[in-house]
Amino acid sequence: MGIECLVLGAGQEVGKSCVVVSMGGKRIMFDCGMHMGYLDNRRFPDFSLISKTGDFDSALTCVVITHFHLDHVGALPYFTEVCGYHGPIYMTYPTKALAPLMLEDYRKVMVDRRGEEEQFTYDHIMECLKKVTPLDLKQTVQVDKDLEIRAYYAGHVLGAAMIYAKVGESTIVYTGDYNMTPDRHLGAAHIDRLQLDLLITESTYATTIRDSKYAREREFLRAIHKCVAGGGKVLIPTFALGRAQELCILLDDYWERMNLKVPIYFSAGLTIQANMYYKMLIGWTSQKIKETSSVRNTFDFKHVCPFDRSLINAPGPCVLFATPGMISGGFSLEVFKQWAPSELNLVTLPGYCVAGTIGHKLMSGKPTRIDLDKDTYVDVRCQIHQLSFSPHTDSKGIMDLVEYLSPKHVILVHGEKPKMAMLKERIQSELGIQCYYPANNEKLLISTTQNVKIDVTKKFIRSCSSAMLSNVKNSLLSISDSGSKDNEIIKLAREDTTAEGILLMEKTKTAKLIHGNELLHTLGVKEHQVRFAFCCPVEVTRMEPLSDEANTTLCHVNSIMKVYVPRCLVTEDRLTTANNTLLDILLSELETRTECKNIQIASDSLQLHTFHVRVCSTEHCSYRKKENGVGESVVYFCCSWSPCDDRLRCLCVVLELFKIRNEY
Amino acid sequence: MKLTCLSQGNGYYCPPTHILQLCGFRLLLECPIDLSSLAVFSPIPSAGAANLDASSGLLRALPWLKTVPGLHLWDPSLIDAVLVSSPSAMLGLPFLTRNAKFCGKIYATEVVARIGQLLMEDLLSMHAEFLQFYGADVKPASPEWMKWVELEKLSPVLKQVVLGEDGEELGAWMPLYSAADIKECMQKIQPLKYGEETCFNGSIIMKAYSSGLDIGSCNWTINSPKISITYLSSSLFMPACWKGFDYHSLLGNDLVLFSDLSSLSSTASTCAETREIRNNNMIVENDPSLCSASALSKDEIPHQLFGTDETSDEIEKISFICSCIIDSLEGGGSVLIPISRLGTVLLLLEQISESLESFNLKVPIFMISPTAEETLAFVNTVPEWLSKQRQQKLFSGEALFNHVELKKVNRLHVFPSIYSSELLMMWQEPCIIFSPHWSLRLGPVVPLLRRWHADPKSLLILEQGVNVEVALLPFRPVAIKVLQSSFLSGIMMHKVEPLLEILHPKLVLYPEDLRIQYPLKENSSWSYLYYSENVQLRVPSFVEDVKACLETNLAFQLRPRRLTQQNIAIARLKGRIFLSKGKYFLAASRIPMEFSNKQLLYWGSIEPTCLLLALQDRGLVGTIHWNKDAANGVYTIQITNPEKAVIETSATMTTISCEDENTATLIYEALGTVCDGI
Ligand SMILES: [Zn+2]
Ligand SMILES: [Zn+2]
């Protein structure tokens, strides 16, 4: 049994996330993203590795998309409409609602601006999304009889989810992108403490540790305020969804507080329309926004209005949100070309830009000139502000999550190779968890251990809880109905109890755990008792009394008792020759000399656990040691005990050492 | 497991209440209040029209509320958890949670919790008018109206409402909770999604699944290690625009607790009394001939349950109501719709506005309640809880309900109170008014009914189950038209058995009263137990063994031993057992367990020659001596070398006698190889 993990994308890189996990005969594709940095066939995952024949429907059980970012959903319409996957697809409600906007925006940029041959059409997007089954958080969804999946809140962007999947006893979580700290509009990632064989986590910021978010937000607002106060224009290239809404909440709120009148624009109707979705999906935002939105919805921005192309060169300051992010083309590039040459203006960039985009070029060093292609270039004199807050978790967050979930194995994806290597080392050394970071198209096999399903008899369960009851006193009972027979459940749920029983394994049946007392009945057999026996001689003589405690010696110590044996043993009682009296004497001697307080006296014997002593009345007891010259004042005590109490064998030795003073 | 039905409830607003004892825990199923009890109080007298109430014979006092009779007899500290299936089922919760002894957990779906909270706040703020008028109770423990002298003055109908059929329910009356009580109550609720797994005390797993009754309403699966239960509350198979009955997730549980008593209350409701004012009272009956094919997706509900088409019935009903409304409006009369069922209100609102549109009537629609604004805003943010068709609106970027648009174009006006000045400025008759019903005693319905009760042109729309005569007592003479419509509020009786067939339980707990009214067919595949109010029903356990998980670490420690005769291997197991998420686990102990190799339990008999050989293998030399007096297999083996020892064996017992401990151990070992044991 094992989990096979095929990394088709985001292996030692960021972009085209796609991991195919096989377990228990099921095969799940997590994310189906595209790489923004490539224009050739490297932009999509190599689907041929899933199925040589292209029969994806039988090769995959389902596809699950974590969030609407293109590096996670960008290749989905291509996969379903062009490659022909028709099986089930799952994503959260917001992702299903918002992914088409992202895909269509990107498609337009590619086709309209770059004049490229399109990989999929608008209809493809719509057809593809129609097949999607929406997921709600925490809901357990039965994909088929054996596979269940569940989405957990991941922060990051609206509707982002971590996905838990379970087949039989094998369990994994694929995190997608996540954020362990809340931002302006989203809460922090939240997941149950699950028992996991494997955790596949993003590692964008594998080595970064971030400080307070508020300081970084202030820095951003100050930069923008300074720019517009100086009459400059601010370009905020973003994707239509996610960052745009977060920054908008931030700015709208700041404008309100500072009473600013400078216009904030949204390019095209796209992002305005996106806000409509955000309003309906407010249940997926942070607790704070949910609470404040019962009166006025946070996504009804007061200071934001749509942008018209004619305003590009209009005089006066403004703030403009333009798509796409990272200035990878489209309208944001068009505006960038116009505004970049002026030192009054400001361009903000996200914390992470994919290699190959203009955003990436602007961030690497301080270029004064950007070549667009071999003929055109842009002079860059404007200021560049890099947003240092990111919707991704930092390394502390990753470590926290890994420690919290404590899976048996960790796979890192969605990061940069050298940083992943460092994080892997930390996870292995600090948390002692096996960690890997496979490259694209690498296959990893993770072995898992399987728990065995067994049946347990009710009697066994009851015996466990009564064992516990004797340990823990009665305190636990008070809250429950003492008349109920089901109390054991209350107790077993609270703490671990020692369980002791017998496991019965029959060829074709489920193994069954029974209580020891049930075994003979279950097998239909009769017990065969086995006992040890020994007949000990004890000398009965007349002796002088000795009261000196110092005269005793510690003769025998083991786990259950200490035995003190007197050099001379005396009893003061008036004695008779009756056997029972002898037992009485023996009892009191044993008690005073052995620290054993729970010796029972039965009709004709003394009993300690299974150890029985009685006065031997058989003349030639077969268990009797051949006596060598013992006087006539010897009384035989016949001892017998069960093998489980063999440690009580020493009592025979003790008895032989006794010399009982007896008066005839 | 035991079930005690505390109350069979009273229609949609007061669902049945049970106490389920499971695994030593007590679960309270639903915690409603009997809203109809509000009707015994007189509304606040309007200035100058005091005589109107004088004749009604109603109590003139600060209204109290009647909780589930019998619940107050249970010690709150003994209730471990509460399950709430619909918004009205939580109206009684603050009475429980404000008791310091209550420390249980409360479970409800997110939507039920939110709508329920809004309902409570609505009730509270409307009740505040009374508080202002009467002042707080002078004697908070026993107000004047509770005295026998006062109660004796009530009419028999009202007296029965106050005291119950057996005259024992006075203890169920409570003074209304405060805002702080509501807040405290909400904090104790754990909100759930449909299908979200929640684990109570590690041992009981509960999940809520859509029941279709209203937005967010649910049925439950309750799983303990020993039994799996489907708790079936009132359900609708195919509601108009919210998630329908999720039968699929309820399949295959051992037991069904059938708690949909909607059929009981819909027929038991006092038809005879409503007929009294029949001349101006139209009753919409369920006409089975109305059923027609539906275009809605049938794949969600199996054919057996589809039968007569509820959805088209409901659509038919609503369009009839709309036509009555249009008639009234065209005749110059206003329409008052005091209904608190959210789904129904939304549906009516959409249908009515469409009708107005098609008749080109420019009549304003008012929605008046302190929480109306928030409620409408809230329902536009819950796409996950709506029907597939309705979710399509989200995916195409439209608002989920058309009230968003209606408000924008000023066709719908939402006000917290009838006394708001903006409302007065906008006031125009005829108009349509939605407002909460609260048994027609609290809130905007009171002044509006005082205004229109004698106007034969106006129309009042009530739900079935409301005692119209009692409800309208303070508003006599009644000339206003009353339309009483029975919105479907549960499973129709003829679908119960097909549903059970699909759910395929082993046992069904079924209300005795329902069985009397609608006899069940004999059934071989499951059995019934019948429950009645306030009778504890013991449910025999029918699971022999319990499922458990043996963890690998412990499995590796096992040393199985194959038995001689049968195809069985056995192994001693020693570890720790614990319960997690309703499942038993057996794992290796944290401290390594000492595993003795010695066998402790033997069975069968011992073949002497085999034993002798086994002894020889261990270097022990001996001889067999048959015991002369006992013929049946009693013999002795005398060992002479290296130490002396005696082994005595019969069919059922062996005794080893040997002074030397090592030799004894060797003999015991040899024995273990020739005798079955563990
Ligand atoms: Zn992302
Ligand atoms: Zn990503």
Side-chain angles (χ1 to χ4, degrees), chain A residues 71-72 177 414:
Chain A
D71 63 327
H72 297 260
D177 297 349
H414 202 290

Side-chain angles (χ1 to χ4, degrees), chain B residues 587-659:
Chain B
S589 300
R590 296 201 179 90
I591 323 138
M593 285 276 173
E594 47 157 304
F595 252 101
S596 102
N597 280 327
K598 281 185 182 172
Q599 290 164 357
L600 300 172
L601 183 63
Y602 295 88
W603 55 90
S605 55
I606 295 166
E607 179 60 39
T609 43
C610 291
L611 178 58
L612 205 62
L613 282 173
L615 289 168
Q616 274 166 16
D617 286 347
R618 284 160 181 78
L620 303 174
V621 185
T623 47
I624 305 175
H625 300 265
W626 292 96
N627 201 326
K628 283 157 214 146
D629 4 296
N632 42 354
V634 182
Y635 59 91
T636 311
I637 293 179
Q638 303 267 6
I639 292 172
T640 48
N641 205 5
E643 295 285 335
K644 281 182 182 160
V646 175
I647 307 165
E648 251 183 24
T649 296
S650 71
T652 57
M653 178 149 177
T654 296
T655 310
I656 302 164
S657 177
C658 177
E659 195 184 359

Side-chain angles (χ1 to χ4, degrees), chain A residues 578-610:
Chain A
N579 288 343
N580 275 3
T581 318
L582 280 172
L583 279 177
D584 282 337
I585 302 163
L586 198 63
L587 174 66
S588 70
E589 289 310 325
L590 277 170
E591 277 188 340
T592 47
R593 308 297 165 188
T594 64
E595 289 188 3
C596 281
K597 292 298 170 225
N598 45 358
I599 301 171
Q600 313 278 317
I601 182 148
S603 60
D604 65 342
S605 62
L606 295 182
Q607 302 183 357
L608 177 65
H609 300 286
T610 66

Side-chain angles (χ1 to χ4, degrees), chain B residues 238-272:
Chain B
M238 299 223 329
C241 59
W242 52 93
K243 272 230 158 84
F245 178 64
D246 180 359
Y247 80 97
H248 201 264
S249 306
L250 307 177
L251 293 183
N253 285 337
D254 299 326
L255 184 143
V256 168
L257 167 54
F258 188 87
S259 181
D260 182 339
L261 284 94
S262 54
S263 300
L264 200 62
S265 51
S266 68
T267 45
S269 78
T270 49
C271 283

Side-chain angles (χ1 to χ4, degrees), chain A residues 14-15 17 31 67 69-72 156 176-177 202 204 392 414:
Chain A
V14 176
S17 285
D31 284 337
H67 65 289
H69 276 156
L70 291 174
D71 63 327
H72 297 260
H156 186 59
D177 297 349
E202 69 134 314
T204 322
H392 291 274
H414 202 290

Side-chain angles (χ1 to χ4, degrees), chain B residues 244-404:
Chain B
F245 178 64
D246 180 359
Y247 80 97
H248 201 264
S249 306
L250 307 177
L251 293 183
N253 285 337
D254 299 326
L255 184 143
V256 168
L257 167 54
F258 188 87
S259 181
D260 182 339
L261 284 94
S262 54
S263 300
L264 200 62
S265 51
S266 68
T267 45
S269 78
T270 49
C271 283
E273 289 162 41
T274 53
R275 299 292 149 102
E276 272 177 39
I277 42 171
R278 200 179 189 148
N279 45 345
N280 44 15
N281 182 8
M282 299 167 278
I283 300 215
V284 185
E285 300 286 355
N286 274 325
D287 184 352
S289 69
L290 282 176
C291 49
S292 58
S294 161
L296 291 158
S297 68
K298 298 186 185 187
D299 55 316
E300 289 191 11
I301 298 289
H303 175 73
Q304 299 94 304
L305 303 182
F306 208 66
T308 55
D309 188 349
E310 300 168 359
T311 315
S312 62
D313 274 10
E314 290 298 290
I315 290 171
E316 204 77 40
K317 237 177 268 175
I318 289 194
S319 46
F320 177 72
I321 294 170
C322 286
S323 68
C324 295
I325 291 173
I326 298 290
D327 287 350
S328 280
L329 294 171
E330 284 185 327
S334 291
V335 181
L336 178 59
I337 311 175
I339 291 179
S340 301
R341 279 168 78 162
L342 183 56
T344 310
V345 168
L346 294 171
L347 214 56
L348 277 174
L349 187 61
E350 293 200 340
Q351 295 294 317
I352 291 170
S353 65
E354 267 172 43
S355 296
L356 292 179
E357 193 91 18
S358 62
F359 282 85
N360 203 19
L361 278 171
K362 294 268 176 288
V363 172
I365 306 174
F366 296 102
M367 192 169 277
I368 309 172
S369 123
T371 54
E373 182 88 54
E374 274 179 81
T375 308
L376 289 183
F378 176 70
V379 293
N380 202 40
T381 62
V382 291
E384 304 85 357
W385 306 79
L386 304 179
S387 69
K388 269 194 178 151
Q389 292 90 332
R390 198 52 74 148
Q391 285 177 0
Q392 216 44 56
K393 291 198 169 229
L394 164 73
F395 299 129
S396 50
E398 292 169 57
L400 299 171
F401 290 93
N402 79 341
H403 58 75
V404 178

Side-chain angles (χ1 to χ4, degrees), chain A residues 139 284 452 456 496 528-529, chain B residues 194 384 546 550 575-576 602 654:
Chain A
Q139 221 165 43
W284 296 73
V452 189
V456 178
D496 296 358
H528 188 103
Q529 262 196 42
Chain B
Y194 282 147
E384 304 85 357
V546 181
L550 178 62
R576 60 198 170 88
Y602 295 88
T654 296

